[in-house]
């Protein structure tokens, strides 16, 4: 029985549970698979959407938005929550333009503010507080982002952080790379801080969902 319960079997099963997406979103998934671009994927994206719906998020700040796949899930939640604003932040102009094309075709124009910028600096400069913050930046920068995220998130808000299992590299004691250490340190800090209620959801590459008390 235990042999049947493999990580990949669980992930494949979780993906089958996600309801059908618009063709534009499945095209974004196909592009990611073809180009090896690390998007959050449908099962984790759906969990992001669900969390944003559950807390009725209207203001969302995304850190490391790529070409807008994770943004599409958050924008859908904000639209269904009655409207608001999702901050799309990526430091690459081309990715920002691609995101604007996809998100306007999905009907989310007017719900997104685009920042071509470093995400921690952009968060520092953008007035909050936010209902939800999503963190998907370079993993070595995770630890330094946490105090600012905590400051900018409202009490009762949610923080979602991608890649906290880091393809299993966090379990490799020999891996002392800045990225792996960054993920380890971030997870240690947030789980030891009594101001947060934190779960690590083993969807795809591992997602932290944290509630700020
Ligand atoms: C892992 S990809 C994820 C994209 C998106 N969150 C999704 O799931 O569809 C992260 C993107 O953010 C960019 N990025 C990483 N660190 C960043 C930072 N500190 N500031 C701005 N962009 C960043 C990367 O270059 C990449 O395009």
């Amino acid at each position: 029985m235990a042999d049947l319960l493999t990580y990949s079997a669980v992930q494949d099963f979780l993906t089958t549970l996600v309801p059908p997406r618009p063709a534009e979103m499945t095209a974004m998934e196909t592009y990611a698979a073809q180009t090896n671009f690390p998007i959050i994927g449908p099962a984790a994206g759906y969990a992001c959407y669900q969390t944003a719906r559950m807390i009725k998020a209207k203001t969302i700040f995304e850190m490391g938005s790529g070409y807008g796949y994770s943004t599409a899930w958050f924008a859908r939640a904000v639209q269904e929550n009655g409207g608001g604003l999702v901050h799309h932040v990526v430091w690459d102009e081309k990715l920002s333009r691609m995101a604007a094309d996809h998100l306007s075709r999905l009907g989310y124009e007017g719900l997104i503010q685009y920042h071509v910028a470093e995400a921690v600096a952009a968060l520092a400069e953008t007035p909050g507080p936010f209902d939800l913050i999503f963190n998907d930046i370079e993993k070595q920068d995770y630890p330094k982002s946490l105090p600012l995220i905590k400051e900018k998130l409202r009490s009762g808000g949610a923080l979602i952080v991608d890649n906290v299992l880091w393809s299993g590299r966090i379990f490799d004691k020999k891996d002392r790379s800045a990225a792996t250490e960054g993920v380890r340190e971030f997870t240690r800090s947030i789980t030891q801080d009594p101001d947060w209620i934190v779960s690590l959801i083993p969807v795809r590459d591992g997602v932290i969902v944290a509630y700020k008390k």
Side-chain angles (χ1 to χ4, degrees), residues 37-40 64-66 69-70 91 95 117-119 134 136-138:
F37 192 96
I39 61 167
I40 195 160
S65 304
Y69 181 78
S70 50
W91 47 27
L95 289 173
E118 195 291 310
F134 173 68
D136 199 4
I137 60 173
E138 298 281 300

Side-chain angles (χ1 to χ4, degrees), residues 81-155:
N81 286 341
L85 193 62
V86 182
H87 293 267
H88 174 285
V89 186
V90 75
W91 47 27
D92 183 312
E93 179 101 48
K94 181 176 167 228
L95 289 173
S96 186
R97 273 200 307 272
M98 281 172 71
D101 288 345
H102 287 301
L103 294 163
S104 68
R105 283 197 288 269
L106 282 161
Y108 300 136
E109 222 163 352
L111 290 173
I112 322 280
Q113 185 170 329
Y114 295 93
H115 308 248
V116 178
E118 195 291 310
V120 181
L123 178 60
E125 283 163 15
T126 309
F130 301 100
D131 298 321
L132 191 152
I133 297 179
F134 173 68
N135 196 0
D136 199 4
I137 60 173
E138 298 281 300
K139 309 314 153 191
Q140 58 269 29
D141 295 331
Y142 271 13
K144 79 171 184 199
S145 69
L146 186 55
L148 180 66
I149 289 170
K150 188 174 171 182
E151 182 191 318
K152 292 280 187 169
L153 192 67
R154 72 161 162 89
S155 288

Side-chain angles (χ1 to χ4, degrees), residues 19-210:
R21 281 86 68 200
E24 187 73 22
M25 284 188 78
T26 50
M28 291 165 92
E29 291 163 13
T30 304
Y31 177 82
Q34 285 169 346
T35 59
N36 233 2
F37 192 96
I39 61 167
I40 195 160
Y46 194 64
C48 288
Y49 160 73
Q50 178 190 2
T51 305
R53 285 296 310 268
M54 285 169 69
I55 65 160
K56 300 183 172 51
K58 284 175 167 280
T59 54
I60 296 184
F61 198 95
E62 259 204 324
M63 307 170 71
S65 304
Y67 59 86
Y69 181 78
S70 50
T71 323
W73 286 108
F74 288 122
R76 177 178 164 192
V78 164
Q79 191 175 61
E80 292 173 6
N81 286 341
L85 193 62
V86 182
H87 293 267
H88 174 285
V89 186
V90 75
W91 47 27
D92 183 312
E93 179 101 48
K94 181 176 167 228
L95 289 173
S96 186
R97 273 200 307 272
M98 281 172 71
D101 288 345
H102 287 301
L103 294 163
S104 68
R105 283 197 288 269
L106 282 161
Y108 300 136
E109 222 163 352
L111 290 173
I112 322 280
Q113 185 170 329
Y114 295 93
H115 308 248
V116 178
E118 195 291 310
V120 181
L123 178 60
E125 283 163 15
T126 309
F130 301 100
D131 298 321
L132 191 152
I133 297 179
F134 173 68
N135 196 0
D136 199 4
I137 60 173
E138 298 281 300
K139 309 314 153 191
Q140 58 269 29
D141 295 331
Y142 271 13
K144 79 171 184 199
S145 69
L146 186 55
L148 180 66
I149 289 170
K150 188 174 171 182
E151 182 191 318
K152 292 280 187 169
L153 192 67
R154 72 161 162 89
S155 288
L159 167 64
I160 303 178
V161 188
D162 194 24
N163 306 111
V164 285
L165 292 175
W166 202 221
S167 305
R169 278 168 277 184
I170 54 162
F171 305 124
D172 179 359
K173 291 191 170 62
K174 291 196 288 288
D175 188 339
R176 295 281 168 203
S177 64
T180 303
E181 290 286 42
V183 174
R184 288 188 185 115
E185 189 187 329
F186 183 92
T187 304
R188 216 169 22 242
S189 300
I190 195 165
T191 51
Q192 288 174 2
D193 183 338
D195 293 337
W196 296 97
I197 300 171
V198 185
S199 291
L200 196 163
I201 317 288
V203 180
R204 201 187 63 99
D205 201 22
V207 175
I208 274 181
V209 179

